[in-house]
Amino acid sequence: MTEVDSLQSGLGLDPFVEDGEDDSGKDYVHIRIQQRNGKKSLTTIQGLEKSFDYKKVLKAFKKEFCCNGNVVEDAELGKVIQLQGDQRKNVSVFLTGNNLAKKDLIKIHGF
Amino acid sequence: MEENGEDLAVTNDKLSQLSVAEDGGLNLGEKKKKKKKKPLADAEEALTEVTEGAADDDAADAGQLLDMSLTKKKKKKKPKARADEDAVEVDETAEGEADGEAAEASGSGLPWDGSDRDYHYEEMLDRVFGILRENNPELTGEKRRTIMKPPQVAREGTKKTVFTNYMELCKTMNRQPEHVQLFLLAELGTSGSLDGQQRLVVKGRFQPKAFEGVLRRYVNEYVGCNSCKSIDTLLDRDSATRIISLRCQQCNASRTVAPIKAGFVARTSRRIKT
């Protein structure tokens, strides 16, 4: 799948030159949801670009969606943003709207 | 009847003035031998000829045909595109008559039976597809949607959800229950296990719709073939490279699939005080 995509995107280019970003397939932004007690839930955003200032992104999220949240440091996955409530749609719209992540690189998990 | 036939012949003559090409078009009629290039004219001619031929031996049949030809005359005033369609139709009726008349039919049911006119593209296309459909129906590219049963989900207590027909669905997808379970739990971000009756018990409250969505994603990712959309596929795991690949049994295409990763799971339960 990724191979085909990279081939199509790099039609005019030398196909043997490493593209770096697209080829690795690891730059997905995963947006997940977790159930808590009752109808509450938690949204986690994993895999945002590392060069971002997570605190600033979080601040923007919080302001935009009117929810609380924080940045969690994970041993393997690096920094993960947690938000209160089901913000999956909001997050993906926000990320694409502000060019923080490409639409096809965002993966929404959960039900 | 005869008058009508003559009438038709006259109009035919008018038509033939458009383009005149001399040759023996059809073997049925004996009076008219002018072949036109336009399919409309062609069909017209065939019709008249048959009509005339039929008028000689069978009155009832001829009456029928004349009916046809009368309607045909009306249609003549319509634009060419429509007339073209009509031509094909009429050709077929003419052919039916020809079969009966010639008392000799090859019996293959093809539109050009009993006449040695040129084949039309549509007719040949129909013939090819008919043969194809008869011999191997899966090649015609018609979509066969695989329908899976909707997941049956029940609540166990207040905090657990039981996926009742889990095993059945795994069987229809032809996947290992462990693999499906891994995916479901990773996607739903919970824990769960199989119970004694081979049902999947998942922690948390979930609607059947939630399961349906996740299963749909599972099928897209790990079951459906990308090139032919069939779900008759196998999942192979190469032990040396630890790459899981999906091979289609229908078209033999193969692709690699991503391993299931649970990703980040936030802690939602209370911390144990130390």
Side-chain angles (χ1 to χ4, degrees):
Chain A
M1 194 84 188
T2 41
E3 267 181 39
V4 173
D5 284 348
S6 68
L7 273 178
Q8 281 171 343
S9 67
L11 266 183
L13 307 168
D14 185 358
F16 295 106
V17 172
E18 284 285 326
D19 215 1
E21 276 196 3
D22 287 24
D23 269 347
S24 63
K26 281 173 189 166
D27 290 352
Y28 281 114
V29 177
H30 297 275
I31 301 171
R32 292 197 174 79
I33 190 161
Q34 254 182 292
Q35 281 199 331
R36 284 185 54 221
N37 38 2
K39 62 175 185 180
K40 292 176 177 158
S41 49
L42 200 67
T43 310
T44 62
I45 301 137
Q46 173 206 321
L48 277 178
E49 209 166 294
K50 296 210 169 52
S51 56
F52 289 162
D53 186 343
Y54 273 56
K55 277 190 180 157
K56 273 194 176 162
V57 178
L58 177 67
K59 188 109 176 176
F61 277 148
K62 281 158 78 169
K63 203 153 192 168
E64 183 83 13
F65 314 141
C66 303
C67 68
N68 208 348
N70 71 337
V71 180
V72 178
E73 193 86 42
D74 193 86
E76 301 153 42
L77 307 163
K79 285 175 176 167
V80 177
I81 291 180
Q82 280 186 10
L83 295 171
Q84 284 179 4
D86 183 359
Q87 313 284 359
R88 287 172 298 166
K89 280 261 167 60
N90 293 338
V91 169
S92 88
V93 169
F94 184 90
L95 287 179
T96 44
N98 292 290
N99 292 327
L100 296 177
K102 278 184 206 151
K103 196 175 184 197
D104 46 349
L105 287 180
I106 294 176
K107 265 196 180 172
I108 298 179
H109 300 262
F111 35 85
Chain B
M1 273 196 305
E2 283 299 315
E3 283 170 24
N4 275 329
E6 279 170 22
D7 205 343
L8 253 181
V10 170
T11 43
N12 231 6
D13 266 335
K14 277 181 200 161
L15 268 170
S16 67
Q17 283 166 6
L18 293 172
S19 62
V20 183
E22 279 294 325
D23 67 320
L26 287 146
N27 57 352
L28 307 165
E30 43 284 291
K31 290 172 192 169
K32 278 239 156 300
K33 284 298 173 198
K34 271 178 190 165
K35 175 117 184 167
K36 289 99 193 168
K37 271 161 198 158
K38 291 195 176 75
L40 163 70
D42 199 316
E44 201 68 51
E45 186 183 19
L47 183 69
T48 12
E49 278 159 6
V50 170
T51 318
E52 284 158 0
D56 291 335
D57 17 285
D58 200 336
D61 265 358
Q64 225 178 358
L65 263 170
L66 278 176
D67 265 7
M68 276 297 294
S69 58
L70 282 173
T71 54
K72 183 69 194 169
K73 251 163 70 181
K74 270 183 228 152
K75 276 175 188 167
K76 219 172 283 163
K77 281 145 199 162
K78 286 178 183 171
K80 277 276 148 64
R82 274 296 304 279
D84 206 322
E85 287 169 30
D86 292 338
V88 176
E89 268 176 39
V90 174
D91 259 0
E92 277 162 15
T93 50
E95 170 261 319
E97 188 59 33
D99 269 359
E101 212 177 320
E104 179 270 316
S106 50
S108 54
L110 295 170
W112 52 80
D113 270 0
S115 69
D116 52 357
R117 64 180 172 81
D118 282 342
Y119 316 127
H120 289 300
Y121 175 72
E122 277 81 17
E123 289 163 4
M124 289 196 279
L125 202 65
D126 280 351
R127 177 169 176 264
V128 164
F129 267 90
I131 292 168
L132 191 66
R133 225 166 261 142
E134 254 172 49
N135 293 342
N136 19 4
E138 70 271 9
L139 285 183
T140 44
E142 274 154 26
K143 270 212 169 155
R144 289 179 296 116
R145 287 191 68 93
T146 23
I147 299 155
M148 274 172 54
K149 282 184 183 162
Q152 283 171 2
V153 167
R155 182 75 51 78
E156 192 181 83
T158 50
K159 284 187 176 163
K160 281 179 186 169
T161 312
V162 189
F163 190 163
T164 321
N165 58 353
Y166 171 67
M167 271 302 168
E168 204 180 316
L169 286 176
C170 289
K171 271 206 190 92
T172 51
M173 291 191 294
N174 195 16
R175 279 303 105 95
Q176 295 291 316
E178 292 83 27
H179 192 256
V180 183
Q181 183 188 342
L182 213 61
F183 182 83
L184 278 176
L185 296 181
E187 279 295 296
L188 296 171
T190 50
S191 53
S193 57
L194 283 176
D195 73 353
Q197 296 154 330
Q198 301 288 293
R199 304 177 305 176
L200 186 70
V201 182
V202 180
K203 208 179 145 201
R205 294 182 203 169
F206 297 99
Q207 302 297 317
K209 225 180 154 202
F211 280 98
E212 205 183 304
V214 176
L215 277 174
R216 189 157 286 157
R217 232 176 298 157
Y218 180 82
V219 170
N220 275 346
E221 190 113 342
Y222 295 101
V223 184
C225 171
N226 264 13
S227 19
C228 69
K229 308 276 183 250
S230 88
I231 61 159
D232 187 10
T233 53
L234 278 186
L235 213 53
D236 292 330
R237 191 171 182 274
D238 188 4
S239 53
T241 52
R242 280 186 278 170
I243 287 172
I244 305 172
S245 60
L246 182 81
R247 213 182 55 246
C248 179
Q249 302 288 93
Q250 294 280 338
C251 65
N252 232 0
S254 90
R255 65 176 166 119
T256 55
V257 292
I260 298 168
K261 270 186 287 185
F264 176 74
V265 180
R267 99 175 296 145
T268 47
S269 57
R270 290 183 62 174
R271 276 160 238 251
I272 308 151
K273 279 177 189 159
T274 46

